[in-house]
């Protein structure tokens, strides 16, 4: 690789990252209809031509963003399972982390795309495999965290309920700050899980 080529590749990588980051922010704060390639390019401080070089269509941009977001959410959840404490305090941490997946900016951005995909068959077909991958990963990680020895007969059902609850709390948080009510709900669910998994 020549010395001139390395900086060009680095600039290209940085441009792509800036576009993806701006897209997540635009989706989460302004929604699907406002998130066009030209608006994202402006927000990222990138020329429209450079943006279209990386992402010729909005669909290619959105698909790349979703792939990256779902991979990052999966990787983050995986990292956070390392060195969890033993005993009941582990359950509270696992539930908090599951809720964190669905109340963060990446989920809010993904939610905008899911809503648009409900009436766009091509978009739906593009994101269904990504959503399924995230769902499988989140389930597997939650199950492993709640039942590390794989011995509890209700662990699978309780893991899925935890994720369904977390997703619902994430939806409730999209229109207004729902943190006070969410803390009560999460605390109640943690108590229920502790009793069920004792």
């Amino acid at each position: 690789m020549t010395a001139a080529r390395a900086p060009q590749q680095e600039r290209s990588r940085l441009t792509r990252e800036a576009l993806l980051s701006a897209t997540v922010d635009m989706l989460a704060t302004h929604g699907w209809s406002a998130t066009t390639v030209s608006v994202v390019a402006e927000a990222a401080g990138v020329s429209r031509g450079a943006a279209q070089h990386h992402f010729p269509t909005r669909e290619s941009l959105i698909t790349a963003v979703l792939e990256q977001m779902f991979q990052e959410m999966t990787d983050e959840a995986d990292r956070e399972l390392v060195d969890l404490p033993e005993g009941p305090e582990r359950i509270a941490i696992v539930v908090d982390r599951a809720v964190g997946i669905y109340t963060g900016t990446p989920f809010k951005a993904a939610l905008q795309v899911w809503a648009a995909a409900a009436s766009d068959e091509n978009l739906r077909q593009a994101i269904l495999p990504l959503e399924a991958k995230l769902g499988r990963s989140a389930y597997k990680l939650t199950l492993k965290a709640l039942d590390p020895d794989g011995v509890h007969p209700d662990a699978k059902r309780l893991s899925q309920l935890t994720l369904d609850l977390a997703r619902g709390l994430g939806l409730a948080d999209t229109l207004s700050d729902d943190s006070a009510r969410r803390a009560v709900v999460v605390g109640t669910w943690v108590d229920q899980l502790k009793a069920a998994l004792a």
Side-chain angles (χ1 to χ4, degrees), residues 102-170:
Y102 292 104
T103 54
T105 299
F107 175 74
K108 289 183 169 101
L111 188 59
Q112 294 292 327
V113 181
W114 290 341
S119 58
D120 182 331
E121 183 60 28
N122 290 334
L123 184 59
R124 179 168 46 243
Q125 292 308 315
I127 68 168
L128 275 174
L130 301 174
E131 197 278 334
K133 180 182 176 185
L134 174 64
R136 284 192 305 271
S137 296
Y139 171 75
K140 195 161 89 173
L141 293 167
T142 303
L143 177 61
K144 181 180 174 185
L146 288 178
D147 187 27
D149 298 323
V151 296
H152 200 285
D154 293 327
K156 291 180 180 179
R157 180 175 56 87
L158 294 171
S159 295
Q160 190 59 61
L161 283 168
T162 298
L163 291 171
D164 289 346
L165 173 71
R167 191 178 298 112
L169 292 171

Side-chain angles (χ1 to χ4, degrees), residues 17 31 39 57 99 111 118 125 150:
E17 286 180 5
V39 170
T57 65
V99 171
L111 188 59
Q125 292 308 315

